Amino acid sequence: MIINHPLLGPRDSSEFVYLGDASLINRPDPDAEDRAQSFYEYGYLRINPAGMHRELWFHEAGDRSWLVVTRDTTTHEITSVEMARDVARAQGRSK
Amino acid sequence: MTQKNRLSGGQIDRTKPMKFMFDGRFHQGYQGDTLASALLANNVRLMGRSFKYHRPRGPLTAGSEEPNALVELRGGARQEPNTRATTAELFDGLVAKSQNRWPSLAFDAMAINDRLSNFLTAGFYYKTFMWPKAFWEKLYEPVIRKAAGLGSLSMKADPDEYDKGFRHCDLLIIGAGPAGLMAALTAGRAGAEVILADEDFSMGGRLNAETFSINNEVASDWAAAAVAELSSMTNVRLMTRTTVIGAFDHGIYGAVERVSDHLHTPDAGKPRQILWRIYTNKTMLCAGAIERPIAFDNNDRPGVMLASAMRSYANRWAVTPAQRVAIFTNNDDGHRTAMDLHAKGVKIAAVVDTRPDVALSDDYQVLRGAQVLDTKGRLGLTFAEVKLADGTERTLECGALGVSGGWNPNLHLTCHQRGRPTWDEALSAFVPGDNLPDGMHVAGAANGALSTHGALETGMKVARQALEIEGRAGKLPQAEDAPVKITPFWFVEGTTRGWLDQQNDVTVKDVKLSHQEGFRSVEHLKRYTTLGMATDQGKTSNMGGLAIMAELAGKTIEQTGTTIFRPPYTPVPIATFAGRIKGMEFHPTRLTPSHYWAKEQGAVFVEVGNWLRAQWFPRPGETHWRQSVDREVAATRASVGVCDCTTLGKIDVQGTDAADFLNKIYCNAFAKLPVGKTRYGLMLREDGIAMDDGTAGRLAEDHFVVTTTTANAAKVYQHMEFARQCLFPDMDVQLISTTEAWAQYAVAGPNSRKLLRKIVDAEFDISNEAFPFMACGNITVCGGLRARLFRISFSGELAFEIAVPARYGDALMRRLMKDGEEFNVTPYGTEALGVMRIEKGHAAGNELNGTTTALNLGMGRMVSKKKDSIGSVLSERPGLNADDALKLVGIKPLNKSDKVTAGGHLMNAQGPVDAAHDQGYVTSAAFSPSLDSMIGLAFLKSGEVRMGERLRLVSPVTDLTVEVEVVSAHFVDPEGERLRA
C-alpha cells in the first residue's frame, strides 16, 4: 500500500506501523463521574467495519508523525490522510 | 548424441552445442533450447511421473503453464525440485533428474496407484483415513507424508544470493508479445517511462513461435526489430526472464527476475534471482492466451500435447516431438500446427476435427466430425483411437498428438484484487471483467483479441488511452487477422479417465463424482478434487472442469462461474522472498560502544532485541559460565564493576510542558521533581497494566532524560509520540530518541565513587553530600569531555551511570578499566546484572510481562490519585484490585541446594496441586552468590502478608517439587544503606 503523507507525499506502507482505530484519540475526561464506564468503552470497544475505517498509522521509519488514514478495509482504497495532531485539535483536544 | 527429432530453421544457435544430462544419460542440445525442447530433439518424451497415480508424463505445453514436465534441476546444494523443463534454459553441463518415481522413470513401483485408481478417486483421503482415530498419527500421516510431494529438497543451505529491488515507472507492460511490444513502442515513442517485462528469455511471445509475417517480415524478425528499437530508448527498460507474479495494492507489482538461472552457477557477485517491487501509475497486461486441451481417455500419455506447443517446438526450437504426428482440434488453430509441421517435413497422420463442415486440405488428411476416443503406448504415445463421423473407429499411428480446444485469455493478474472474469460467448472463454486492479488495462489476446492484428491494434490503442497520448497514432503494422472460429468442445462423450488436471491427476470421472456427492459450487469442486490446486494453478485445466460441472448441473458455464487466481503467477522460491534477510541479516545487528573492547576481553555475547550485549566475561581457568557470573557479582559487590547499559532506551524530553507531559506518561508524580534529581517512573498502558519502567532525570526546568528498558525502547517512544500528538496536541513538548547518541555505563560497587573521582573533572563535586542518591547533572570528564552523571543503582550498591557522546564510549571504557586497576575493577555482563537485580528485588521484563499491574509489582501506592495519568482510571477497576491480588515476593528454597526455576508455580504446603489451588508463579530465578543459594522473584496471592510461609514450588513440566519460603524480594541490603553510602 501507499500512504499519501500530508507533509512527505506518497510513502510505502512498510515505513509505517499500524495502531488501530482512530477513536483512540478520543480519550475520555478522566475527571468525569462516569469515567469508569467511559474509559472501559474507550479501552475495549471498537467498531470493526467491512468498509471505510479511520485508523492510526505511525511513520516510524520516517518523520514520526501519527497519521489518521481513512481506508476501505475491503479494498484498501485510501480516501484521506490527515495529521493526527490536526484531527486531535479539531476534536477539541489541547493539553 | 543424435538429435533425431531436430528440424531445420528455428531460433537456436547451432554453432553453440551444449552437453547435458537427464537421468544419468548424456544428450546434446543447442543454445536457445529449453530442457524440454532439447529432450524432445533427442526423442525423449517421457520426463516425469504424475502426482497421485504416477502415470508416465511428457510436456503438455512449451511454457510456464506446464503441469507435467517437472524435474529436479542441478545437484548438490543447488538442487531445485519441481522445475519446469519447458522454461528451464539449457546450459552446458546442465544436470536434471526426473522426480516422483522409484526406482526409475521407466519403471515406477508407485504406478500401482494407477491400477488402484478406482479407490483413489476424489475425496479418497477424507473418506479413508477417518478411522480408527489412533492410526492417524502413527500410521496414516507418515505414509501419506512419504508419498506426498513431487521433487525432493537438497536439505542443504542454498549457496546462492537472492536480492530485492525497487523500480518506478509510468507504464508497466506485462508480456512482450505483439500487444506488449506494440504498447511499448507506442508509449516509449511518446516519451513515457516504461518497463516491459517478459518471463521468457527472448521477447516476442507467440511471434517467435509462428510462421506468419508482419509488414512482409517474418514475425520473429519484426519482434527482434521492435526490441532493438526499444533497447535504444533511454526511457524504456526491458526486463527479460522476469515474471510479474502479482498485482498488489495501489499500483505495486511483484516481479521475479531470474538473473542467473540460465547459468551453471551465478557469476561472482551476482544474485540468483531478484524480487522486484515495481511502483507504477498504469499497467498493461499483455499476457496473451493459453491454449486448452480436450479431455479424452488416456489423453495424458507422453506425446500428447497442446497443438500450439507442438507448433512452438517446431518453429522456435526446430523440434518435432515425433516423426509422425496427428492433430485433434475443434477450431482453426489446430490446422496451423498441421500446416507448419507439414512444411517442415513432418508426417501428419491426420487432423481430427470435431467440426463436420471444416475444409479439407491438399497436404494432409482431415477427418471431419471425428473425435479421438483413446490412446495407446505404455511410456509414450504409439496409437490414437479415432471415431469417425459415420461412427466407425480407426486407429492412427502417431508418436505425438497435438490437441487444440481453443484459447483462454491469460487473465491471471486481473483477478489479484478479487476481479471476476466474465464469459465471452463468441470466444467460448472467460475474458477479464471490468473490476480490474487500479490502473490496469488489458490488451491483445489476454483481452480476447486473439489475432495478431488484434493484438497490435489493441496494444497501440490501449497504451494511448492509458497514458492519454494526444495526436495522431502511428501506422499499424500489417498482420493476419483470422477470425476465431470455434465450436465449444470440452471432452469426448463417455470419457472417464480423461485427464483435466494432469499434475494433480484429476479426471472427468472425479469431477462427476464430486458433483454426485454434492459439491456443486466451483470453489467446493476445486477443494474436493484438488482441480487447479497444483503448482500450475490449473492454467490448462480449470476450464475443462468448469465445463463438465456446467453440463452436469444443466447450467451454462457463465452461470457456473469460475474460481479466481491469486499471486504468485508462477511458483516463487522461498529464498527469493527472503532475499538477503536471512541468518545474521534477518534483522540489523546493533553493537554497543564497548563492543570491540568487550570482544577483546573474550566476552560471550547475547542478542537482546537487535543488540549484542556482553553476557559475561570469562577469565582463564573458568570452565562454566556460573563461575564467571558469580565472580563478577562478588567483585562488584566487594569493590567496583562496570556494565555497558547503552542499550537502554534514552528519550530526550524538552519543552515548557515537559514536566506536565511526564506526569501524564508516568503513573507516579513528576511535576515537582527538582532540577538535578532523578526519579524511578512506572508507565502504565491505558488499561492499567504496567508497560515499562525506567528513570527520568531532570537536567533543567524544561529538560528531562527518560530511560526505558532495552526491549521496549521503540514501543515506548511510539507511545510517547502518540500521547504528544494525539492526546495532548497543544503541550509544548518535543521528543527525540537519543539511545544511539550516548554511551552509558553503570559503575557500581562500594569503590565506584573512588573510581569516578579519577575520571570526573575536579570542579564537579560528586561526594555523597553534593551528589546524593538519585542526583543527576551535566558534568565533564577526562579534562573537558561533556558527560552526564546519574546516581542511580540497579545493583543495589553505591552506583552511578555515566554517559558520554557515543564516539567516546570505547575510550571511556578503556579508561575506566585502566584507572580502576587499583580497585580490581571488573566488567560485568547481563547475567551478573540480572543476578544483582534479582538479589535486590528489582522488576524487569519478566515481571513487566503484560499481565501485571502496579499493585502486583508492589507499587500500588505509586499510582497518584491526585493527578490524571495514562492508565490511572482503569487501574482502579475492581478486578485488578482484588483482596488476594498477586504481589511480588522473594522465595528461597528451604534446602539450599534445591533448584528454583522461573515458570514454576507456587502451591500451598499441603493440598492438591492443580490450577484451582494455584497460589502464584515464579518470574525470575538465579543463583545468588551473596546468599549462596538459588533465589527467585514470584507473584504470590496476598504475598505481602505471607512472609515466612512455606510453600511448594512445582513445575510439572520439569517434574520439580521444591519446598520454598516466602521472603521479602529485597534479598540484599533491604534498608538500602549501600546505595545511599
Side-chain angles (χ1 to χ4, degrees):
Chain A
M1 290 202 299
I2 292 172
I3 293 174
N4 201 358
H5 192 299
L7 304 179
L8 302 174
R11 314 297 310 175
D12 194 279
S13 62
S14 60
E15 295 176 6
F16 295 80
V17 291
Y18 179 79
L19 179 63
D21 197 325
S23 69
L24 284 169
I25 291 173
N26 309 324
R27 188 169 183 266
D29 178 359
D31 299 322
E33 281 289 306
D34 67 344
R35 63 178 184 269
Q37 181 65 23
S38 60
F39 266 83
Y40 155 70
E41 288 174 8
Y42 169 74
Y44 290 99
L45 302 187
R46 303 269 193 286
I47 293 167
N48 182 22
M52 283 301 171
H53 187 223
R54 277 161 65 81
E55 54 201 19
L56 285 159
W57 290 74
F58 181 54
H59 199 195
E60 187 164 55
D63 73 340
R64 295 164 281 141
S65 288
W66 278 96
L67 304 179
V68 174
V69 175
T70 307
R71 180 182 65 108
D72 189 322
T73 57
T74 61
T75 64
H76 293 180
E77 184 195 6
I78 291 174
T79 50
S80 96
V81 183
E82 303 154 90
M83 302 296 290
R85 179 177 238 161
D86 295 342
V87 173
R89 281 180 175 144
Q91 291 175 6
R93 302 207 66 84
S94 177
K95 288 192 173 184
Chain B
M1 290 204 284
T2 57
Q3 296 186 39
K4 189 181 159 199
N5 289 340
R6 190 69 80 174
L7 305 172
S8 62
Q11 295 163 44
I12 45 167
D13 188 346
R14 286 180 166 76
T15 67
K16 288 184 183 142
M18 290 172 163
K19 202 170 151 188
F20 68 100
M21 190 198 266
F22 179 64
D23 274 350
R25 283 194 59 183
F26 282 108
H27 301 280
Q28 193 195 62
Y30 295 117
Q31 170 133 352
D33 262 324
T34 63
L35 177 58
S37 70
L39 284 171
L40 290 175
N42 288 283
N43 202 29
V44 177
R45 289 174 301 174
L46 176 61
M47 298 187 197
R49 288 273 177 172
S50 69
F51 180 57
K52 192 156 102 178
Y53 300 134
H54 292 250
R55 305 253 305 179
R57 292 288 166 75
L60 176 71
T61 74
S64 65
E65 65 272 27
E66 176 59 31
N68 281 341
L70 306 182
V71 299
E72 284 172 8
L73 200 65
R74 298 183 163 90
R78 288 195 166 86
Q79 178 178 310
E80 182 191 326
N82 307 338
T83 305
R84 287 150 295 169
T86 52
T87 58
E89 286 177 58
L90 198 66
F91 53 82
D92 204 34
L94 178 148
V95 176
K97 272 194 315 213
S98 59
Q99 54 187 33
N100 201 37
R101 85 290 186 274
W102 183 86
S104 75
L105 188 55
F107 177 77
D108 178 359
M110 285 295 276
I112 187 74
N113 281 3
D114 196 31
R115 303 292 170 103
L116 301 173
S117 62
N118 274 343
F119 303 99
L120 296 171
T121 50
F124 169 72
Y125 291 88
Y126 303 130
K127 291 166 187 165
T128 310
F129 298 113
M130 299 288 290
W131 52 266
K133 205 176 162 197
F135 275 33
W136 177 252
E137 210 173 304
K138 296 255 155 53
L139 180 64
Y140 296 150
E141 192 183 331
V143 169
I144 293 170
R145 283 208 183 282
K146 192 162 183 337
L150 291 163
S152 54
L153 295 167
S154 71
M155 305 310 282
K156 294 178 183 136
D158 189 332
D160 294 331
E161 295 284 340
Y162 297 79
D163 227 327
K164 291 184 186 181
F166 300 82
R167 278 184 177 157
H168 300 255
C169 60
D170 299 324
L171 179 66
L172 167 67
I173 302 170
I174 303 162
L181 287 174
M182 199 62 227
L185 287 170
T186 306
R189 286 168 184 163
E193 294 289 330
V194 177
I195 292 177
L196 174 60
D198 196 288
E199 60 179 349
D200 205 330
F201 56 92
S202 171
M203 289 194 163
R206 281 306 299 175
L207 298 181
N208 291 330
E210 304 288 1
T211 48
F212 51 69
S213 56
I214 297 178
N215 275 351
N216 300 321
E217 258 183 294
V218 177
S220 57
D221 290 347
W222 182 87
V227 170
E229 183 184 341
L230 292 168
S231 308
S232 71
M233 298 182 187
T234 54
N235 54 324
V236 176
R237 186 188 289 275
L238 301 177
M239 297 178 76
T240 52
R241 300 186 174 103
T242 301
T243 306
V244 176
I245 56 164
F248 302 97
D249 295 310
H250 304 165
I252 301 172
Y253 287 77
V256 174
E257 182 180 4
R258 290 171 294 280
V259 180
S260 308
D261 279 27
H262 60 294
L263 304 174
H264 187 275
T265 44
D267 292 338
K270 285 284 171 74
R272 173 86 178 272
Q273 299 189 350
I274 300 174
L275 182 65
W276 292 103
R277 189 188 281 220
I278 301 174
Y279 297 80
T280 180
N281 295 320
K282 302 285 179 187
T283 306
M284 278 180 71
L285 180 66
C286 304
I290 295 175
E291 199 170 26
R292 58 199 185 210
I294 298 171
F296 50 90
D297 281 350
N298 297 304
N299 61 338
D300 63 331
R301 289 195 200 284
V304 181
M305 61 172 62
L306 293 171
S308 60
M310 194 179 266
R311 201 154 78 234
S312 298
Y313 286 119
N315 293 330
R316 178 170 172 184
W317 288 289
V319 166
T320 181
Q323 297 298 318
R324 190 182 162 86
V325 305
I327 304 293
F328 181 27
T329 185
N330 68 340
N331 67 96
D332 286 357
D333 216 66
H335 292 261
R336 277 190 178 159
T337 303
M339 285 187 279
D340 286 359
L341 269 82
H342 172 78
K344 293 225 172 204
V346 178
K347 176 78 185 155
I348 308 296
V351 174
V352 181
D353 196 318
T354 58
R355 298 169 298 176
D357 52 350
V358 70
L360 297 177
S361 162
D362 295 335
D363 297 330
Y364 49 82
Q365 178 177 224
V366 177
L367 304 174
R368 295 194 284 203
Q371 300 172 11
V372 175
L373 294 182
D374 201 351
T375 66
K376 288 199 163 50
R378 195 175 75 85
L379 296 175
L381 184 68
T382 51
F383 294 99
E385 302 285 346
V386 178
K387 188 171 110 182
L388 302 177
D390 63 6
T392 59
E393 292 186 14
R394 197 168 139 184
T395 301
L396 286 179
E397 188 186 353
C398 53
L401 176 63
V403 182
S404 177
W407 291 82
N408 288 327
N410 187 4
L411 44 73
H412 202 295
L413 273 86
T414 67
C415 299
H416 288 190
Q417 304 284 327
R418 298 205 63 79
R420 292 251 161 211
T422 54
W423 181 251
D424 185 311
E425 198 63 47
L427 298 177
S428 287
F430 281 102
V431 293
D434 47 16
N435 44 358
L436 299 172
D438 230 17
M440 183 188 278
H441 301 259
V442 192
N447 207 28
L450 292 176
S451 74
T452 311
H453 169 78
L456 294 168
E457 184 189 33
T458 56
M460 178 185 278
K461 197 176 100 186
V462 174
R464 287 171 60 83
Q465 279 170 357
L467 296 175
E468 296 173 17
I469 297 171
E470 307 283 333
R472 270 188 55 188
K475 197 160 176 285
L476 207 60
Q478 293 290 316
E480 63 83 27
D481 193 17
V484 175
K485 284 197 252 168
I486 182 166
T487 313
F489 191 89
W490 308 101
F491 61 97
V492 171
E493 207 174 313
T495 179
T496 54
R497 301 207 79 197
W499 260 259
L500 296 165
D501 186 327
Q502 300 210 12
Q503 192 172 136
N504 267 358
D505 273 334
V506 181
T507 63
V508 173
K509 184 183 164 189
D510 294 317
V511 174
K512 288 182 172 168
L513 182 69
S514 109
H515 182 264
Q516 192 184 316
E517 295 185 352
F519 296 93
R520 303 287 159 94
S521 123
V522 285
E523 299 287 355
H524 290 159
L525 164 79
K526 173 177 169 174
R527 282 155 186 84
Y528 192 57
T529 62
T530 71
L531 175 79
M533 288 173 69
T535 61
D536 61 338
Q537 282 197 49
K539 292 187 181 74
T540 54
S541 62
N542 281 351
M543 271 306 301
L546 291 178
I548 291 162
M549 258 198 99
E551 189 188 279
L552 292 169
K555 290 183 190 168
T556 62
I557 292 177
E558 189 174 10
Q559 288 165 333
T560 307
T562 175
T563 56
I564 59 174
F565 298 100
R566 295 186 183 85
Y569 175 71
T570 47
V572 180
I574 297 290
T576 307
F577 284 121
R580 293 181 183 275
I581 306 172
K582 59 178 185 182
M584 280 308 284
E585 286 162 5
F586 188 73
H587 57 63
T589 301
R590 304 175 76 180
L591 304 180
T592 62
S594 68
H595 180 81
Y596 293 103
W597 169 83
K599 217 171 157 184
E600 288 165 23
Q601 312 308 310
V604 174
F605 294 96
V606 59
E607 282 185 56
V608 183
N610 291 340
W611 293 96
L612 284 185
R613 294 188 74 178
Q615 202 170 5
W616 62 84
F617 295 83
R619 290 250 171 104
E622 289 173 350
T623 53
H624 190 276
W625 64 271
R626 264 277 310 284
Q627 295 171 327
S628 310
V629 174
D630 291 357
R631 170 183 51 75
E632 288 169 19
V633 171
T636 302
R637 294 218 186 279
S639 178
V640 59
V642 178
C643 180
D644 191 331
C645 54
T646 302
T647 62
L648 292 182
K650 305 180 206 76
I651 299 169
D652 223 53
V653 183
Q654 299 195 36
T656 53
D657 291 321
D660 287 341
F661 180 72
L662 291 185
N663 249 353
K664 295 285 191 186
I665 295 293
Y666 286 117
C667 68
N668 48 321
F670 269 84
K672 289 181 185 147
L673 181 69
V675 172
K677 283 287 185 187
T678 305
R679 185 171 285 172
Y680 173 83
L682 181 66
M683 283 182 202
L684 304 181
R685 309 191 309 216
E686 194 67 89
D687 63 1
I689 302 294
M691 180 164 78
D692 198 61
D693 68 349
T695 59
R698 192 168 200 170
L699 294 178
E701 272 301 314
D702 58 355
H703 186 189
F704 290 80
V705 175
V706 165
T707 65
T708 74
T709 59
T710 300
N712 285 339
K715 202 173 111 191
V716 168
Y717 182 79
Q718 178 189 329
H719 169 74
M720 286 172 68
E721 281 289 2
F722 172 78
R724 186 180 80 91
Q725 296 176 41
C726 299
L727 301 182
F728 315 111
D730 288 337
M731 276 193 181
D732 174 27
V733 58
Q734 283 75 40
L735 309 174
I736 194 159
S737 166
T738 61
T739 305
E740 298 90 342
W742 294 89
Q744 193 154 322
Y745 300 115
V747 182
N751 285 325
S752 56
R753 188 184 288 116
K754 286 184 195 155
L755 171 53
L756 281 178
R757 192 62 274 168
K758 294 174 75 174
I759 284 164
V760 175
D761 289 342
E763 63 264 41
F764 298 98
D765 185 354
I766 58 169
S767 67
N768 199 30
E769 297 69 38
F771 203 79
F773 182 55
M774 298 310 269
C776 70
N778 288 312
I779 57 164
T780 61
V781 299
C782 304
L785 173 63
R786 69 195 170 98
R788 288 169 176 174
L789 191 63
F790 306 86
R791 190 168 158 196
I792 50 181
S793 175
F794 201 43
S795 57
E797 298 298 325
L798 165 65
F800 299 81
E801 287 189 12
I802 182 166
V804 292
R807 63 185 177 280
Y808 295 103
D810 179 79
L812 179 62
M813 180 55 107
R814 291 175 197 276
R815 179 74 175 264
L816 285 167
M817 288 300 125
K818 190 163 165 286
D819 287 358
E821 273 170 13
E822 61 174 297
F823 310 111
N824 182 33
V825 65
T826 302
Y828 64 95
T830 55
E831 285 298 326
L833 178 88
V835 169
M836 287 191 278
R837 72 99 189 159
I838 293 169
E839 287 180 336
K840 188 63 189 168
H842 280 150
N846 294 16
E847 286 72 38
L848 303 173
N849 59 17
T851 68
T852 50
T853 63
L855 183 77
N856 299 146
L857 292 162
M859 304 179 197
R861 269 187 240 147
M862 266 176 68
V863 185
S864 172
K865 310 263 183 206
K866 290 186 208 141
K867 58 144 189 165
D868 168 48
S869 66
I870 290 173
S872 64
V873 172
L874 288 181
S875 68
E876 289 172 18
R877 285 181 290 168
L880 298 181
N881 293 279
D883 289 340
D884 66 346
L886 296 170
K887 294 283 169 55
L888 189 67
V889 297
I891 53 161
K892 59 180 187 189
L894 293 184
N895 179 349
K896 274 197 165 196
S897 61
D898 274 348
K899 205 174 159 190
V900 173
T901 54
H905 276 245
L906 298 170
M907 300 286 165
N908 286 329
Q910 305 293 326
V913 175
D914 56 29
H917 296 81
D918 190 44
Q919 297 299 304
Y921 61 98
V922 179
T923 50
S924 299
F927 178 81
S928 163
S930 315
L931 280 79
D932 190 31
S933 157
M934 284 206 78
I935 56 171
L937 297 179
F939 286 111
L940 178 64
K941 281 183 180 175
S942 307
E944 77 280 20
V945 295
R946 297 174 74 171
M947 293 301 150
E949 196 176 323
R950 291 181 179 189
L951 299 171
R952 281 174 295 170
L953 168 62
V954 299
S955 172
V957 185
T958 51
D959 206 20
L960 175 93
T961 304
V962 173
E963 283 189 291
V964 295
E965 183 187 347
V966 181
V967 294
S968 159
H970 310 294
F971 293 93
V972 169
D973 187 29
E975 305 305 322
E977 284 164 17
R978 295 187 196 178
L979 39 85
R980 289 188 177 79

